[in-house]
Amino acid sequence: MLFSNKILFVLYTLSVLLLSIIVPIWYAFILLLIFFSFLFSSKTTKAFLLGFGSVFCAWTILMLFKDFQNDSLLSARITHLFKLPSKWLLIFITAFIGAILGALSTWLGKNLKSSFGYIK
Amino acid sequence: MNHFRTILSLSLLLVALYFLNSYTIKTEKANIPPLGKFLNPITGFWKNAENIETIKNESIQLKGLSAPVTVIYDEHMIPHIYAANEEDLYCAQGYVTARFRLWQMEIQTRAACGRVSEILGPKTLDFDRLKRRTGMKYGAEQTLAAIENNPQAKKLINAYTDGINQYIHSLNAANYPVEYKLLNYQPEDWTNLKTALLLKAMAENLTALEYDIEHTNALNMLGKTDFNLIYRDWWEEQDPIISKGTPFQKHINNAISNTADTLFSTNSNPIQSIENPIDKEEEDYMLGSNNWAIAGAKTKSGKPILANDPHLRLSLPSIWFQIHLSCPTYNASGASLPGAPGVISGFNDHIAWGVTNAGRDIRDWYKISFKDASMNEYLLDGKYQKTHKIVEQFKVKGQADFFDTIVFTHHGPVVYDRNFSEKQAMNLALRWTAHDVSEEMMTFYKLNKSKNIQDYFEAISHYSCPAQNFVFACKDGDIAIQQQGKFPIQRKDQGVFIQDGSLTSNDWKSYIPFEDNPHMVNPTRGFVSSANQHPTDTTYPYYYTGVFEYFRNRRINTELTRMSNIQLQDVEHLQLDNFNWMASECLPAMLNKLDKSHVNAKQQAIIEQLSAWKFYNEADSKAAVYYEIWEDTLEKIMWDEFMHTKYPVRFPEKITTLHFISTDQASIFYDIKKTEKVESLSDLIALSFTYASAKIASMPDQDWTSFKHTSIEHLAKIPALSIDYVACGGNKSIVNAISKYHGPSWRMIVEMTDDIHAVAIYPGGQSGNPGSKYYDNFVADWSQGKYYEIYHSSILNDMKKHASSILELKP
């Protein structure tokens, strides 16, 4: 165990955040998380949770930042568009969508490690 | 074993990614874009959430400029563009406009040329086909050829297009306008043709108000006598643009005296128009505009004042984009159309101009007799003429391409035929001045640079369609108005009905010469004005027909005649005037003829409110609601013959209704067909009052604004991006013409003092982005009748004091 879970979580989240700011491809984090998980993950559950949590957090931070700067002008309209009761649900659904992809990515990374990595 | 889990997780990931990035969820009402792609905070809609605080100064490269261009944004986000020459100016105008309004520019031109199905799928295919069949693209191609033949015009339009495209090329998926993300498609390059298409879209918007098909049906239904009674060309109380009694000249003398050979005499089968008749509610007075110019003799400053407010469908983004264009040979300010270079309604350092719609019928339908089903030949003066055909390709989202053959005759495209619908019993070709070569762009370019009345007349001489009333005022004191367009010389009734297209005698043969178009220069009454009424009285030496208004113009002319020592604020009050002229003539007659002996207490209260009403449709008026409901009910039961007809017919105009209410016409139209009894006018008034008062009693207590419920819809009619309710007075046929969906789309007043004083506002905002605070920030002030000062200095350093941010464009 090279890193503690907390450190890995912070590393994953910050990396996803940074990548999102630099690369204008919304699913670019998938490759990053596969790679990270290939390097760092040992257990399926842990890999899954790290992927889920880090994207959930990174996306939530990005959305809150945008929403604050925008005084919720656009999120209110999109909430109305999707007939949602509150913008918080919109933010939650969005973060959840990212998180699912994140979890699948880290799970794949972990499995790749099991398939092709050095296994004791 | 391990490989199985790898493959499983990889598959799940790919499936999830495919679903979230590429799968459009189709529902009854709308298509939901791929969720991950639309919602994600990296490239999804969140990227369009603009920071409401910081507006940064920027420096951007714009290739092809000959020198740097400075764009100053004032506090309303109105760009003031300072360039070294006209080409640079137009290039920067294209770039800046696209930054704010790209999606609007594209969707409007896409709609004009029948390419909406590419993004929305098969449900809009018939819409697209009709656009191509009415020859929108064909007309735009003709116009573009003319523009590109003129080396100067070509240079300028190329520069404008280049500016737009440089903006488009600077985009990536993350910063596409949000509508592209919502509808899940990408912007495509701008072309000169799109600019031409935009002008044709305006032409369609403003001239499609003709009723040849509906009139033909009505003639079959009513017979000639009653037809002439209901659809009158002229009522005597009309106050035309060119004041009554003004002598006219006729510079050509071709005898067109034989009576119109309309189809009604030979054909007894009315045809089913493909287009649905327009809803009663918004009929007739949907579009309109006001403009006037007041001579210095009537103003306090001694200088002319010009006012313009074009009434169009209110939309977000707004149809107009306010701009100020300046270079050493040019300093124009006002409203521009996103997608067309220059200023459309505005002023420069010397003159001001504005436009209203002429409303004259310049679209005629001809019945075509083909030799056989191949449609290769058609009958003309007893011989067969060859047609030519164009195969149009339609890309349809989610479906194979669709091909439509459009047959062209010498009249123009055959819009309705069995290619369009198998049910079509009649082949109808369209002759429309929008199909012809024209140079509208040159008119606006030259108006933007005009210095005096000669320049103004020269500029508008290039203008053909959609015909407009160009009002003019100049610093040197001149005022003028001309109804300008390309108008065919017609026989009486020509163009009122579908015509026999197999006789060349029915063709348009020549056009009214420019100098004979109705115009008025510096009249002794001290003002010129137009509000979509008849251009002339009946002494005008050319026949014309069209859709004309009878109420706003009389209010404007009465007020302008009465007023003196006029200041800019007085002109604001006139633009915002809510006097209901129609009600002032109609309601007293209705009340007078109403038998008040048997009314109950609630009805008595309504009568009292109506009797006390001064005919102003102010936002808080209740009497205005009562009048509207009563008049509407009366109209519907009086013209019951025109409701729910088998074939579309034109509903009688308000002026006709007014005459049938105010004077007893001893007419069969008072009879309600479905009742045994033969009703009289008094019966209708009593009955309509009973119905109306019952309706009023059943409704919540409302004032005029909540009853009218003005909305400003997003161009794609997406409620979440629209404004559902705007509190305001006014109505159609009132000077302040704000109805449910239409109204003054731009209000401008210019006083031609030495340092021009100009104010304007429009119901929208400069940005087309629903995630910007500049999306709809003018709406509240507009609804309250406020105006903003227009800064128009040609000196860059003077403008800097108004700057909220500066954009430098570098070659």
Side-chain angles (χ1 to χ4, degrees), chain B residues 159-346:
Chain B
Y160 184 73
T161 293
D162 182 44
I164 299 170
N165 280 331
Q166 289 200 46
Y167 176 67
I168 294 173
H169 297 157
S170 74
L171 296 177
N172 61 41
N175 43 30
Y176 288 161
V178 73
E179 289 92 343
Y180 287 105
K181 298 179 183 179
L182 203 48
L183 300 168
N184 195 24
Y185 74 113
Q186 296 81 39
E188 60 177 24
D189 277 10
W190 191 259
T191 58
N192 293 349
L193 181 68
K194 291 191 177 219
T195 295
L197 275 165
L198 184 77
L199 297 170
K200 294 300 168 188
M202 283 308 283
E204 189 192 40
N205 196 358
L206 295 169
T207 66
L209 265 180
E210 43 79 18
Y211 296 98
D212 297 8
I213 292 167
E214 291 84 348
H215 281 159
T216 307
N217 292 339
L219 187 67
N220 282 304
M221 186 173 99
L222 301 171
K224 189 73 180 160
T225 311
D226 280 338
F227 182 91
N228 287 344
L229 186 69
I230 300 294
Y231 304 106
R232 275 179 64 153
D233 276 342
W234 168 266
W235 294 92
E236 203 44 53
E237 66 264 44
Q238 181 63 299
D239 187 2
I241 297 171
I242 310 306
S243 7
K244 281 181 188 169
T246 307
F248 294 104
Q249 290 188 315
K250 193 175 186 184
H251 287 88
I252 55 167
N253 199 10
N254 45 350
I256 304 178
S257 53
N258 47 330
T259 52
D261 188 14
T262 53
L263 203 60
F264 72 88
S265 52
T266 52
N267 172 66
S268 58
N269 299 317
I271 68 132
Q272 172 73 62
S273 163
I274 301 296
E275 290 165 296
N276 288 323
I278 308 159
D279 273 355
K280 159 71 181 61
E281 195 184 2
E282 287 287 342
E283 208 198 65
D284 269 349
Y285 303 134
M286 292 195 305
L287 304 174
S289 307
N290 307 317
N291 65 17
W292 59 82
I294 309 164
K298 281 180 80 77
T299 67
K300 192 173 181 190
S301 66
K303 295 289 189 176
I305 298 178
L306 179 139
N308 186 201
D309 56 302
H311 314 152
L312 295 166
R313 192 176 176 94
L314 303 177
S315 67
L316 289 172
S318 165
I319 184 124
W320 302 110
F321 179 69
Q322 198 176 334
I323 203 158
H324 171 206
L325 303 169
S326 192
C327 75
T329 55
Y330 204 111
N331 189 44
S333 201
S336 71
L337 282 174
V343 171
I344 304 291
S345 165

Side-chain angles (χ1 to χ4, degrees), chain A residues 30-31 33-39 41 44 47 104-119, chain B residues 2-10 13:
Chain A
I30 291 178
L31 286 178
L33 289 184
I34 293 172
F35 179 65
F36 274 7
S37 195
F38 185 84
L39 287 184
S41 288
T44 299
L104 289 172
S105 307
T106 44
W107 187 34
L108 174 62
K110 193 256 156 202
N111 290 337
L112 283 171
K113 187 180 193 175
S114 312
S115 293
F116 305 108
Y118 296 103
I119 301 153
Chain B
N2 285 333
H3 287 304
F4 169 74
R5 286 174 68 171
T6 305
I7 291 163
L8 176 69
S9 54
L10 179 64
L13 179 63

Side-chain angles (χ1 to χ4, degrees), chain B residues 67-115:
Chain B
V69 172
T70 302
V71 183
I72 294 189
Y73 294 110
D74 66 21
E75 78 261 32
H76 298 301
M77 252 322 167
I78 293 155
H80 303 264
I81 304 179
Y82 294 85
N85 58 52
E86 292 175 2
E87 259 183 274
D88 286 0
L89 191 59
Y90 275 26
C91 183
Q93 185 185 7
Y95 181 84
V96 166
T97 308
R99 283 188 113 194
F100 286 97
R101 301 289 187 90
L102 178 62
W103 178 77
Q104 168 188 19
M105 291 159 69
E106 210 206 300
I107 199 70
Q108 285 175 342
T109 49
R110 210 177 252 282
C113 70
R115 288 184 52 212

Side-chain angles (χ1 to χ4, degrees), chain B residues 36-75:
Chain B
K37 192 177 177 185
F38 180 72
L39 294 175
N40 80 79
I42 298 126
T43 59
F45 82 86
W46 293 98
K47 269 291 187 196
N48 302 81
E50 282 179 14
N51 190 331
I52 59 157
E53 294 297 338
T54 42
I55 306 162
K56 288 177 292 188
N57 288 344
E58 283 179 285
S59 180
I60 291 172
Q61 191 195 17
L62 197 60
K63 287 176 219 145
L65 290 179
S66 65
V69 172
T70 302
V71 183
I72 294 189
Y73 294 110
D74 66 21
E75 78 261 32

Side-chain angles (χ1 to χ4, degrees), chain A residues 20 23-27 30 34 44 59 62-63 66-67 69-71 73-75 77-78 80-82 90-91 93-94 97 101 104-105 107-108 111-112 114-116, chain B residues 2-3 5-6 8-10 12-13 16-17 20-21 32 36-43 45-46 48-52 182 718-721 770-773 775-776:
Chain A
S20 301
V23 182
I25 301 168
W26 73 272
Y27 45 80
I30 291 178
I34 293 172
T44 299
W59 278 29
L62 286 169
M63 284 184 279
K66 271 285 173 194
D67 198 50
Q69 279 198 329
N70 183 242
D71 199 20
L73 281 180
L74 191 56
S75 62
R77 292 187 189 277
I78 304 297
H80 179 192
L81 183 78
F82 284 102
L90 178 73
I91 290 172
I93 291 171
T94 308
I97 284 172
L101 284 177
L104 289 172
S105 307
W107 187 34
L108 174 62
N111 290 337
L112 283 171
S114 312
S115 293
F116 305 108
Chain B
N2 285 333
H3 287 304
R5 286 174 68 171
T6 305
L8 176 69
S9 54
L10 179 64
L12 278 176
L13 179 63
L17 182 60
L20 292 168
N21 191 51
I32 298 168
K37 192 177 177 185
F38 180 72
L39 294 175
N40 80 79
I42 298 126
T43 59
F45 82 86
W46 293 98
N48 302 81
E50 282 179 14
N51 190 331
I52 59 157
L182 203 48
I718 299 167
L721 308 183
S772 162
K773 70 169 172 177
Y775 178 63
D776 56 4

Side-chain angles (χ1 to χ4, degrees), chain B residues 83-153:
Chain B
N85 58 52
E86 292 175 2
E87 259 183 274
D88 286 0
L89 191 59
Y90 275 26
C91 183
Q93 185 185 7
Y95 181 84
V96 166
T97 308
R99 283 188 113 194
F100 286 97
R101 301 289 187 90
L102 178 62
W103 178 77
Q104 168 188 19
M105 291 159 69
E106 210 206 300
I107 199 70
Q108 285 175 342
T109 49
R110 210 177 252 282
C113 70
R115 288 184 52 212
V116 180
S117 308
E118 288 176 23
I119 49 173
L120 294 183
K123 64 188 170 194
T124 52
L125 184 57
D126 272 355
F127 170 89
D128 282 346
R129 292 179 67 197
L130 262 183
K131 292 287 173 190
R132 303 241 191 130
R133 288 178 152 264
T134 47
M136 297 284 287
K137 195 171 137 206
Y138 166 72
E141 280 162 354
Q142 303 269 4
T143 293
L144 182 61
I147 294 172
E148 294 190 336
N149 256 334
N150 175 337
Q152 194 193 10

